[in-house]
Amino acid sequence: MSAARDMLCATARAVFADAATAGMGPIEGAGFGLLLVAEDQDGFGGDWGDVNAVLQIAGVMVPDLAVAELIAGQALQPAATVSLMAGAMGQALALSIEHVNMRQQFGRPLGKFQAVQQSLAVMACEVRAVEAAAAALAARLDAVNLDPLAADFEIAAAKLRANRAVGVVTAIAHQVHGAIGFTKDYDLHRVTIPLMRWRGAHGNDTYWAQRLGRQAAGFGGRGLWAMMTERSDVHRRAE
Amino acid sequence: MQGFALYPFDPPGDIAALRADLRRWLADNQPRGDVVARANCWASFDPDFSRALGAAGYIGMTLPARYGGGDRHPLERYVVIEELLAAGAPVGAHWIADRQTGPLILRYGSEDQRQRYLPGIAAGELYACIGLSEPGAGSDLAAVRTTARETAEGWRINGQKIWTTGAHFSHIMLALVRSEEDSERNAGLSQLLIDLDTPGITVHPIIDMAGHHDFNEVFFDDVLVPNGALVGERGQGWKQVTAELGLERSGPERYLSSHALLVALVDAAGPDPDGEMATLIGELAAEMWTLRQLSMSTAAKLAAGDDPMVEASVVKELGNAFEQDMPRRVQAIVDCGWDDPDDLAKLLRALLVASPSFSLRGGTREVIRGIIARGLGLR
């Protein structure tokens, strides 16, 4: 990650920490609404890679605030939601790992039991898949200057993949936490409830699957692969 | 494993042109065999195709030119491999030699071994198998008991390997053997490069449930190979094999070997599928796109010289699940008989029968999940 993006993320963490109690004020005041605005128009001049990084942090720290709406327009909300989801899933995984390494039963940490290890491995694969989808979508959006139509395949694929991960990630996170994860006091619900909400927001599974499926069918069997490679080769040239 | 980022997949040169050249070449060199050979195509053995592919410069691409290689970047090779798999090309004969034995010989082998084996590998004429599993050492690979004792004449090998893919057509085996007397577990192991025409070696076929002859039992009865057969450092076999498995697990074959079925499904669905069919195609396309991103990122990490063991395991785990799920879900919504003669039915039958092996070969699902758990800090 670039130094500029590192600094942006550090700022986001500090500002979101205030916003967690104060609401949108600190976020608006810090100028996050200008993240995608060009520098010559007094904006930050950021790209979708920056948005992806900031929204992953927002997905962990302020999942109930309208940060995505502040940064991006309506047509990019499905893409923004993928980033929020990637962040929240990463946090659900981090909390789960921390919990099973600390909580002892039968004389050893839960994380030493193979059944628990296998569950968390399944969960980690889903989280990595969504993080990869969010990053690849960002690369595509930046290659096509944030034109949502030119990134329609990637938006559909990434949102669908993120939606499909929600069930597995939330179920395993809660299962390995046991009763403590079901309490109001413990932090897990701060990411799992937003994940449940985001699955249905800006297009549920069937919406994106049918859209993507019809698009793929239009390319034909061989054409699907040709299209997929052409799109990624193009954004490599653009980099 | 926290903080996973995509490694940028950034091969040198004009990748679109590399792809276009290979697609033209494939159109001119249509492989023999029916549609079923295009599924699970890295198990399809066609030495004529391998030789032609080697002559065209598409095998041993990353090996140095002085050993007959192409001096190309590993990510250029990646592009070629994903194109071959997506096209269902019969790459099984040279697959293991090109993917792992060649690179391993280059990295750990002696100058003599490099000169002796690499040109044949790059030509698509010299085939290799991997001697890892034994009757008592499957998932528990450190239980290997085949012994090699160093004598004045060379290494003397006794023991047995099993589930050895391609041993019946391969020229060489890269075997993991116990070279140190009274050693235990993953200490005292070494890798030997064994010419399979050496006296004392017997290869027995094992026919799989699809009726195919892919794997074998290989017996070593007082087999004598030269001292120069040792690859890399004596006693460091475990470390070398672990590195080799990274090459084995991360490639695009872990999500693209059933691509022929997706092609047939999309073609059968036509340009205006109903809702249920569109949903299935959409979900499969989204998973394939995501797996491709993960696989490319893992390849980029490997090419950058970093160890992608955990990432490679994620690709294998998700890729295996995708490829096992696909034929089941296709069968659930497509009405076709078990013995129907059309392409979709033939591919479906072949992949339903082949797919149990996907989460066994190259490390079982349980072992792979264990590696991921270790990467998470749980073991």
mmCIF file of all heavy atoms in Angstrom, chain A residues 63-87:
data_model
loop_
_atom_site.group_PDB
_atom_site.id
_atom_site.type_symbol
_atom_site.label_atom_id
_atom_site.label_comp_id
_atom_site.label_asym_id
_atom_site.label_seq_id
_atom_site.Cartn_x
_atom_site.Cartn_y
_atom_site.Cartn_z
ATOM 1 N N PRO A 63 -20.221 0.864 11.017
ATOM 2 C CA PRO A 63 -21.042 0.209 9.988
ATOM 3 C C PRO A 63 -22.443 0.809 9.852
ATOM 4 O O PRO A 63 -23.092 0.598 8.835
ATOM 5 C CB PRO A 63 -21.112 -1.246 10.469
ATOM 6 C CG PRO A 63 -20.830 -1.192 11.930
ATOM 7 C CD PRO A 63 -19.876 -0.052 12.118
ATOM 8 N N ASP A 64 -22.891 1.554 10.876
ATOM 9 C CA ASP A 64 -24.248 2.091 10.816
ATOM 10 C C ASP A 64 -24.304 3.521 10.297
ATOM 11 O O ASP A 64 -25.388 4.098 10.199
ATOM 12 C CB ASP A 64 -24.903 1.999 12.201
ATOM 13 C CG ASP A 64 -24.959 0.552 12.684
ATOM 14 O OD1 ASP A 64 -25.229 -0.326 11.827
ATOM 15 O OD2 ASP A 64 -24.699 0.297 13.867
ATOM 16 N N LEU A 65 -23.165 4.122 9.978
ATOM 17 C CA LEU A 65 -23.164 5.496 9.451
ATOM 18 C C LEU A 65 -23.098 5.474 7.915
ATOM 19 O O LEU A 65 -22.603 4.520 7.313
ATOM 20 C CB LEU A 65 -21.968 6.275 10.013
ATOM 21 C CG LEU A 65 -21.965 6.483 11.536
ATOM 22 C CD1 LEU A 65 -20.754 7.325 11.940
ATOM 23 C CD2 LEU A 65 -23.257 7.125 12.020
ATOM 24 N N ALA A 66 -23.578 6.578 7.312
ATOM 25 C CA ALA A 66 -23.697 6.625 5.847
ATOM 26 C C ALA A 66 -22.399 7.110 5.197
ATOM 27 O O ALA A 66 -22.396 8.052 4.405
ATOM 28 C CB ALA A 66 -24.868 7.520 5.461
ATOM 29 N N VAL A 67 -21.281 6.443 5.510
ATOM 30 C CA VAL A 67 -19.986 6.852 4.958
ATOM 31 C C VAL A 67 -19.932 6.590 3.452
ATOM 32 O O VAL A 67 -19.463 7.426 2.677
ATOM 33 C CB VAL A 67 -18.832 6.115 5.673
ATOM 34 C CG1 VAL A 67 -17.488 6.618 5.160
ATOM 35 C CG2 VAL A 67 -18.920 6.294 7.175
ATOM 36 N N ALA A 68 -20.424 5.434 3.033
ATOM 37 C CA ALA A 68 -20.387 5.089 1.601
ATOM 38 C C ALA A 68 -21.190 6.094 0.778
ATOM 39 O O ALA A 68 -20.769 6.520 -0.297
ATOM 40 C CB ALA A 68 -20.928 3.674 1.397
ATOM 41 N N GLU A 69 -22.346 6.491 1.326
ATOM 42 C CA GLU A 69 -23.196 7.462 0.610
ATOM 43 C C GLU A 69 -22.516 8.827 0.522
ATOM 44 O O GLU A 69 -22.692 9.555 -0.447
ATOM 45 C CB GLU A 69 -24.554 7.595 1.304
ATOM 46 C CG GLU A 69 -25.451 6.367 1.176
ATOM 47 C CD GLU A 69 -25.160 5.280 2.203
ATOM 48 O OE1 GLU A 69 -24.084 5.331 2.860
ATOM 49 O OE2 GLU A 69 -25.972 4.357 2.340
ATOM 50 N N LEU A 70 -21.748 9.166 1.549
ATOM 51 C CA LEU A 70 -21.033 10.446 1.546
ATOM 52 C C LEU A 70 -19.944 10.463 0.462
ATOM 53 O O LEU A 70 -19.704 11.476 -0.183
ATOM 54 C CB LEU A 70 -20.395 10.676 2.923
ATOM 55 C CG LEU A 70 -19.538 11.944 3.088
ATOM 56 C CD1 LEU A 70 -20.431 13.190 3.077
ATOM 57 C CD2 LEU A 70 -18.730 11.892 4.388
ATOM 58 N N ILE A 71 -19.301 9.316 0.258
ATOM 59 C CA ILE A 71 -18.140 9.264 -0.640
ATOM 60 C C ILE A 71 -18.537 9.056 -2.097
ATOM 61 O O ILE A 71 -17.961 9.662 -2.999
ATOM 62 C CB ILE A 71 -17.172 8.144 -0.188
ATOM 63 C CG1 ILE A 71 -16.526 8.499 1.163
ATOM 64 C CG2 ILE A 71 -16.091 7.899 -1.250
ATOM 65 C CD1 ILE A 71 -15.644 7.404 1.738
ATOM 66 N N ALA A 72 -19.512 8.196 -2.344
ATOM 67 C CA ALA A 72 -19.788 7.787 -3.729
ATOM 68 C C ALA A 72 -21.260 7.950 -4.071
ATOM 69 O O ALA A 72 -22.128 7.885 -3.192
ATOM 70 C CB ALA A 72 -19.359 6.337 -3.939
ATOM 71 N N GLY A 73 -21.533 8.094 -5.357
ATOM 72 C CA GLY A 73 -22.901 8.265 -5.853
ATOM 73 C C GLY A 73 -23.683 6.959 -5.841
ATOM 74 O O GLY A 73 -23.147 5.881 -5.561
ATOM 75 N N GLN A 74 -24.960 7.088 -6.186
ATOM 76 C CA GLN A 74 -25.890 5.972 -6.107
ATOM 77 C C GLN A 74 -25.434 4.756 -6.921
ATOM 78 O O GLN A 74 -25.488 3.619 -6.452
ATOM 79 C CB GLN A 74 -27.274 6.444 -6.592
ATOM 80 C CG GLN A 74 -28.387 5.425 -6.430
ATOM 81 C CD GLN A 74 -28.585 5.006 -4.972
ATOM 82 O OE1 GLN A 74 -28.330 5.786 -4.046
ATOM 83 N NE2 GLN A 74 -29.003 3.764 -4.761
ATOM 84 N N ALA A 75 -24.931 4.993 -8.138
ATOM 85 C CA ALA A 75 -24.596 3.881 -9.023
ATOM 86 C C ALA A 75 -23.419 3.062 -8.495
ATOM 87 O O ALA A 75 -23.236 1.905 -8.881
ATOM 88 C CB ALA A 75 -24.277 4.408 -10.418
ATOM 89 N N LEU A 76 -22.622 3.664 -7.620
ATOM 90 C CA LEU A 76 -21.466 2.938 -7.081
ATOM 91 C C LEU A 76 -21.734 2.349 -5.691
ATOM 92 O O LEU A 76 -20.837 1.781 -5.073
ATOM 93 C CB LEU A 76 -20.239 3.857 -7.048
ATOM 94 C CG LEU A 76 -19.644 4.126 -8.437
ATOM 95 C CD1 LEU A 76 -18.615 5.259 -8.381
ATOM 96 C CD2 LEU A 76 -19.002 2.866 -9.009
ATOM 97 N N GLN A 77 -22.970 2.478 -5.202
ATOM 98 C CA GLN A 77 -23.258 1.937 -3.872
ATOM 99 C C GLN A 77 -23.099 0.411 -3.774
ATOM 100 O O GLN A 77 -22.632 -0.085 -2.744
ATOM 101 C CB GLN A 77 -24.657 2.372 -3.392
ATOM 102 C CG GLN A 77 -24.721 3.852 -3.006
ATOM 103 C CD GLN A 77 -23.665 4.254 -1.975
ATOM 104 O OE1 GLN A 77 -23.523 3.612 -0.934
ATOM 105 N NE2 GLN A 77 -22.878 5.271 -2.289
ATOM 106 N N PRO A 78 -23.466 -0.346 -4.811
ATOM 107 C CA PRO A 78 -23.205 -1.802 -4.703
ATOM 108 C C PRO A 78 -21.707 -2.082 -4.508
ATOM 109 O O PRO A 78 -21.326 -2.920 -3.674
ATOM 110 C CB PRO A 78 -23.704 -2.361 -6.035
ATOM 111 C CG PRO A 78 -24.717 -1.367 -6.508
ATOM 112 C CD PRO A 78 -24.219 -0.021 -6.042
ATOM 113 N N ALA A 79 -20.863 -1.373 -5.271
ATOM 114 C CA ALA A 79 -19.411 -1.572 -5.142
ATOM 115 C C ALA A 79 -18.932 -1.144 -3.764
ATOM 116 O O ALA A 79 -18.128 -1.833 -3.119
ATOM 117 C CB ALA A 79 -18.678 -0.779 -6.226
ATOM 118 N N ALA A 80 -19.449 -0.018 -3.276
ATOM 119 C CA ALA A 80 -19.053 0.472 -1.957
ATOM 120 C C ALA A 80 -19.436 -0.540 -0.873
ATOM 121 O O ALA A 80 -18.685 -0.768 0.085
ATOM 122 C CB ALA A 80 -19.718 1.824 -1.693
ATOM 123 N N THR A 81 -20.606 -1.162 -1.056
ATOM 124 C CA THR A 81 -21.066 -2.129 -0.050
ATOM 125 C C THR A 81 -20.146 -3.346 0.019
ATOM 126 O O THR A 81 -19.930 -3.912 1.098
ATOM 127 C CB THR A 81 -22.515 -2.552 -0.368
ATOM 128 O OG1 THR A 81 -23.309 -1.369 -0.544
ATOM 129 C CG2 THR A 81 -23.110 -3.369 0.764
ATOM 130 N N VAL A 82 -19.583 -3.734 -1.118
ATOM 131 C CA VAL A 82 -18.636 -4.863 -1.117
ATOM 132 C C VAL A 82 -17.448 -4.551 -0.196
ATOM 133 O O VAL A 82 -16.997 -5.394 0.574
ATOM 134 C CB VAL A 82 -18.139 -5.169 -2.548
ATOM 135 C CG1 VAL A 82 -17.025 -6.213 -2.524
ATOM 136 C CG2 VAL A 82 -19.284 -5.635 -3.431
ATOM 137 N N SER A 83 -16.963 -3.313 -0.256
ATOM 138 C CA SER A 83 -15.829 -2.926 0.596
ATOM 139 C C SER A 83 -16.215 -2.942 2.078
ATOM 140 O O SER A 83 -15.454 -3.426 2.922
ATOM 141 C CB SER A 83 -15.331 -1.539 0.208
ATOM 142 O OG SER A 83 -14.917 -1.526 -1.144
ATOM 143 N N LEU A 84 -17.394 -2.392 2.379
ATOM 144 C CA LEU A 84 -17.877 -2.432 3.764
ATOM 145 C C LEU A 84 -17.941 -3.884 4.256
ATOM 146 O O LEU A 84 -17.541 -4.207 5.378
ATOM 147 C CB LEU A 84 -19.274 -1.804 3.864
ATOM 148 C CG LEU A 84 -19.392 -0.305 3.599
ATOM 149 C CD1 LEU A 84 -20.861 0.107 3.462
ATOM 150 C CD2 LEU A 84 -18.728 0.498 4.721
ATOM 151 N N MET A 85 -18.462 -4.767 3.388
ATOM 152 C CA MET A 85 -18.628 -6.173 3.758
ATOM 153 C C MET A 85 -17.271 -6.849 3.971
ATOM 154 O O MET A 85 -17.092 -7.629 4.910
ATOM 155 C CB MET A 85 -19.437 -6.912 2.678
ATOM 156 C CG MET A 85 -20.882 -6.423 2.584
ATOM 157 S SD MET A 85 -21.757 -7.031 1.112
ATOM 158 C CE MET A 85 -22.400 -8.589 1.729
ATOM 159 N N ALA A 86 -16.312 -6.534 3.089
ATOM 160 C CA ALA A 86 -14.983 -7.131 3.237
ATOM 161 C C ALA A 86 -14.375 -6.746 4.582
ATOM 162 O O ALA A 86 -13.802 -7.577 5.291
ATOM 163 C CB ALA A 86 -14.079 -6.697 2.085
ATOM 164 N N GLY A 87 -14.534 -5.470 4.942
ATOM 165 C CA GLY A 87 -13.995 -5.013 6.226
ATOM 166 C C GLY A 87 -14.659 -5.706 7.396
ATOM 167 O O GLY A 87 -13.990 -6.198 8.317
#
